[in-house]
Amino acid sequence: MPRKASAVLTGKEIIDLIKKARLTRAPARDISIGGCEGLTLRLTPTAAVYSVRFRHEGKPLRIRLGDAEEWTAAQARWVGGAVRRHVEEGAGVPDPTWIGLKRVAFEAKATKGEPVAVPTHMPKHRAPETWTYRQARDAWVAYLKAEAESPAQVYRPDTVRNYRSVIGCPALRALDDRFVSRITAPDVAERVAGLVHEGKRSQARDVVRVAKRFWNWMSEPGQIRLSGAAKKAMEELKAPKLGDIKGRQHFPYVSEVAIMLSIAQTGILIDSVGFAVELLIFTAQRRMSVVKARVEEFLPWDEREGWGIWWEGHRKVNKGGPTIRDPFAGSHAIPLPPLVWTRVQAYIRRTTESALAAGKLRAPWMFPIARPRRVGSRTDWHLHEDTLSHVVAAMPGCRARPHDVRRAFSSHLQEDAGVPSSLVGLILDHARSDLLHVVDENHITRRYTRDEMLKMKSRPMEAWIEALRVARIDVELADSTELKAQLVTEHLRQRGIKDLAVEAARRRAASAKAYAEGRTTRQRRRRRPESAADLP
């Protein structure tokens, strides 16, 4: 550490110190000469050099200015301050040429000579000519979109949206202006720790998962020269633990699921939304599988009178894709008992008749969106999966969420109805049971057979529908007017709306603005008439 000066040393005092160091052959030492924070004189028996020492972003720096025999103390103090500002402004360590220009500029100013032009910044190490984090993020998203839109459809649009939102979250956006070549695992780990501190553990895990895939892509031969990413840069990045997930999960009883079913069947919901909730409960499938169901996937089961089959195409199993001979190859087949099949047929019939009465063709989606925001958009013709979550969350007397139905299905059938876990797993389309204490080996059976095992699947479906029918008898709901008011109140609470008058005024203003800009649905339809070609 440099010896601190009690006062600002004069030029004569500095000369005396240099002479003394040479005569006594004293070991090397640093002396603070004052007048500029961090400015030191390095004394050795053979040399005396001015340097400026300080810490920047936690790293110690020592930047050489010049030989004390060539520099005056005033020059060192003035240039030393300029060097500190250069670094603290984010321009990095200045180039020695810049330091020399600063010294010449000081002399010209002191002697009132001709001014010397000096660049504001001249870093010693020039910025790499590779991607910044923002550029890398844009390049990866463009690549993902191209792959999703290619005939091979390597990525689903939902996957692209998820990756884009994760690598573009506020925690990582702080790295936007930094070069990828200078971003290390500790930099990302610092952002992950910040998310954990905010209680966002799930998002922190997503950041680790997607960041590793992002860096792996950037380090591939096709991108590594553009990105400058180091191979395996994020290999040691660790995701935080979520804790006791099983303890926080909700395992509803059949009676609670029956409340959801009863509310969905009251008729107070939009027809497509209400029956989507019904189908989710009847089949215990995922939200995305339900909202992406198509009418063509529902066919009668010829071997059993009154039964139907849902050839679920969204969730593919590992048995190849559709062919001309077998258009449902690779689909997840679910047998529908007579009670469910009757309601499916009635729903398809009335929605088709309703569309024809309006002079339109029925959309191929089982649950077409009620109010499409983008007319003719192929991606917005079915309900969004979050619609089911919002509707179920607003149901009074019901704590369960859409995915909890799958836990109720598995728990009841295995613990109460005595259905083997292997048969339950066939419906859930899981390699393992939802219950940790149940060992499920049905994935081996599914890998080595082409049979859909519909007869085996019919047993858990019959038991589940019967349990719902019995539990439905004991459900007592408020009258439809009061029930609808409760749903509306809960929807408003979810959206943070406290004053209905203020919300109505906001809607009117938004509608007026959309009309003035020509963005209303009717205006867009006039510009682009809807036809059968517009339908997906």
Side-chain angles (χ1 to χ4, degrees):
M1 293 296 292
R3 181 175 64 82
K4 293 185 178 180
S6 57
V8 177
L9 299 182
T10 64
K12 184 178 183 307
E13 290 174 332
I14 293 173
I15 293 174
D16 292 341
L17 288 172
I18 295 174
K19 289 180 179 179
K20 184 177 179 181
R22 289 178 178 176
L23 289 173
T24 60
R25 309 295 291 179
R29 58 173 179 158
D30 288 333
I31 297 176
S32 177
I33 67 172
C36 175
E37 186 179 358
L39 184 62
T40 62
L41 176 65
R42 178 75 168 178
L43 291 175
T44 68
T46 58
V49 178
Y50 286 117
S51 300
V52 60
R53 297 179 59 183
F54 59 99
R55 297 182 70 87
H56 180 67
E57 294 184 349
K59 298 179 181 179
L61 295 175
R62 177 196 285 269
I63 302 173
R64 187 181 188 278
L65 299 180
D67 197 311
E69 292 185 353
E70 300 175 1
W71 285 57
T72 65
Q75 292 172 350
R77 292 184 178 104
W78 192 81
V79 177
V83 168
R84 286 186 65 108
R85 289 192 296 273
H86 189 285
V87 174
E88 291 168 352
E89 289 171 1
V93 176
D95 190 91
T97 304
W98 185 87
I99 295 176
L101 286 174
K102 276 291 183 181
R103 179 191 174 201
V104 174
F106 174 78
E107 281 301 306
K109 182 178 180 181
T111 59
K112 298 183 180 180
E114 185 177 351
V116 177
V118 183
T120 305
H121 297 125
M122 186 186 292
K124 180 178 180 180
H125 301 291
R126 300 181 66 180
E129 296 179 359
T130 53
W131 285 340
T132 61
Y133 182 80
R134 180 188 289 107
Q135 292 171 327
R137 187 178 71 231
D138 294 342
W140 194 44
V141 171
Y143 163 78
L144 294 174
K145 286 182 177 179
E147 290 291 276
E149 295 170 0
S150 67
Q153 292 183 336
V154 180
Y155 297 101
R156 287 170 37 201
D158 292 333
T159 302
V160 177
R161 283 195 293 270
N162 174 255
Y163 286 178
R164 181 181 59 194
S165 63
V166 172
I167 65 171
C169 69
L172 292 182
R173 245 182 265 141
L175 304 172
D176 272 358
D177 296 328
R178 294 182 59 177
F179 291 97
V180 171
S181 59
R182 295 178 179 174
I183 299 176
T184 60
D187 295 322
V188 179
E190 184 179 349
R191 272 70 189 175
V192 171
L195 291 172
V196 172
H197 181 71
E198 295 174 11
K200 301 177 180 178
R201 286 184 172 269
S202 180
Q203 185 181 0
R205 289 180 64 87
D206 286 341
V207 166
V208 173
R209 171 179 59 87
V210 179
K212 287 185 175 182
R213 296 181 182 181
F214 184 23
W215 254 264
N216 287 341
W217 176 80
M218 287 193 292
S219 62
E220 291 177 357
Q223 292 79 235
I224 192 167
R225 290 183 177 177
L226 296 172
S227 66
K231 291 185 178 181
K232 300 182 179 180
M234 299 295 155
E235 186 176 12
E236 297 182 358
L237 198 62
K238 301 294 183 182
K241 294 182 179 180
L242 290 178
D244 184 17
I245 296 299
K246 205 68 178 179
R248 296 199 299 269
Q249 290 176 344
H250 179 46
F251 290 79
Y253 291 104
V254 180
S255 57
E256 186 176 353
V257 179
I259 296 175
M260 295 169 54
L261 181 62
S262 300
I263 295 175
Q265 292 178 342
T266 56
I268 62 176
L269 301 174
I270 297 174
D271 198 8
S272 59
V273 176
F275 193 70
V277 175
E278 286 191 55
L279 186 64
L280 183 143
I281 294 172
F282 285 141
T283 62
Q285 297 305 295
R286 300 171 179 85
R287 298 177 308 158
M288 185 64 76
S289 300
V290 171
V291 298
K292 284 197 170 183
R294 292 176 174 267
V295 176
E296 62 185 15
E297 296 174 357
F298 294 84
L299 296 175
W301 187 4
D302 296 333
E303 296 182 13
R304 286 201 178 185
E305 185 178 356
W307 283 65
I309 302 176
W310 176 16
W311 296 92
E312 183 187 320
H314 168 251
R315 185 75 176 179
K316 301 292 184 181
V317 294
N318 192 20
K319 290 191 294 185
T323 62
I324 297 177
R325 293 183 57 187
D326 188 359
F328 297 108
S331 300
H332 176 37
I334 303 173
L336 304 177
L339 175 63
V340 182
W341 182 238
T342 300
R343 294 192 64 81
V344 168
Q345 288 178 304
Y347 171 77
I348 295 175
R349 184 169 55 252
R350 67 174 178 268
T351 51
T352 303
E353 292 174 353
S354 176
L356 293 175
K360 301 179 181 178
L361 294 176
R362 194 201 188 285
W365 302 109
M366 189 70 168
F367 306 108
I369 194 168
R371 294 184 294 273
R373 293 184 179 275
R374 293 186 289 273
V375 177
S377 174
R378 301 179 66 87
T379 59
D380 281 345
W381 278 100
H382 63 76
L383 286 177
H384 195 280
E385 65 271 20
D386 288 345
T387 300
L388 302 185
S389 298
H390 296 321
V391 169
V392 172
M395 292 181 175
C398 180
R399 177 190 165 198
R401 297 298 179 260
H403 202 76
D404 294 336
V405 174
R406 294 170 64 80
R407 300 188 182 97
F409 179 89
S410 178
S411 301
H412 171 76
L413 293 183
Q414 293 178 93
E415 297 176 353
D416 300 331
V419 178
S421 62
S422 58
L423 300 185
V424 175
L426 290 176
I427 299 298
L428 294 176
D429 192 25
H430 261 212
R432 295 184 180 274
S433 169
D434 277 357
L435 299 179
L436 294 180
H437 62 274
V438 174
V439 178
D440 179 8
E441 298 181 353
N442 69 80
H443 58 287
I444 297 178
T445 305
R446 291 186 298 186
R447 286 180 181 175
Y448 290 92
T449 181
R450 291 180 56 84
D451 184 21
E452 294 294 344
M453 296 174 283
L454 290 172
K455 293 181 180 179
M456 297 174 64
K457 292 178 180 178
S458 64
R459 179 183 171 187
M461 290 301 296
E462 282 183 305
W464 176 243
I465 299 304
E466 177 61 19
L468 288 173
R469 186 191 66 80
V470 174
R472 175 83 167 75
I473 297 174
D474 298 329
V475 174
E476 295 183 3
L477 299 176
D479 62 85
S480 59
T481 303
E482 182 180 349
L483 184 60
K484 187 172 183 178
Q486 291 175 345
L487 287 171
V488 170
T489 302
E490 181 59 23
H491 270 304
L492 294 174
R493 189 196 67 79
Q494 291 176 3
R495 295 168 56 195
I497 298 174
K498 299 179 180 179
D499 192 328
L500 293 179
V502 173
E503 175 63 11
R506 186 193 68 80
R507 285 175 172 269
R508 285 194 299 270
S511 298
K513 181 179 179 182
Y515 182 81
E517 296 175 356
R519 295 187 291 105
T520 65
T521 301
R522 289 184 179 180
Q523 288 171 325
R524 286 180 293 176
R525 279 177 177 163
R526 293 192 192 103
R527 292 193 298 268
R528 186 171 183 266
E530 186 176 355
S531 64
D534 291 326
L535 298 176

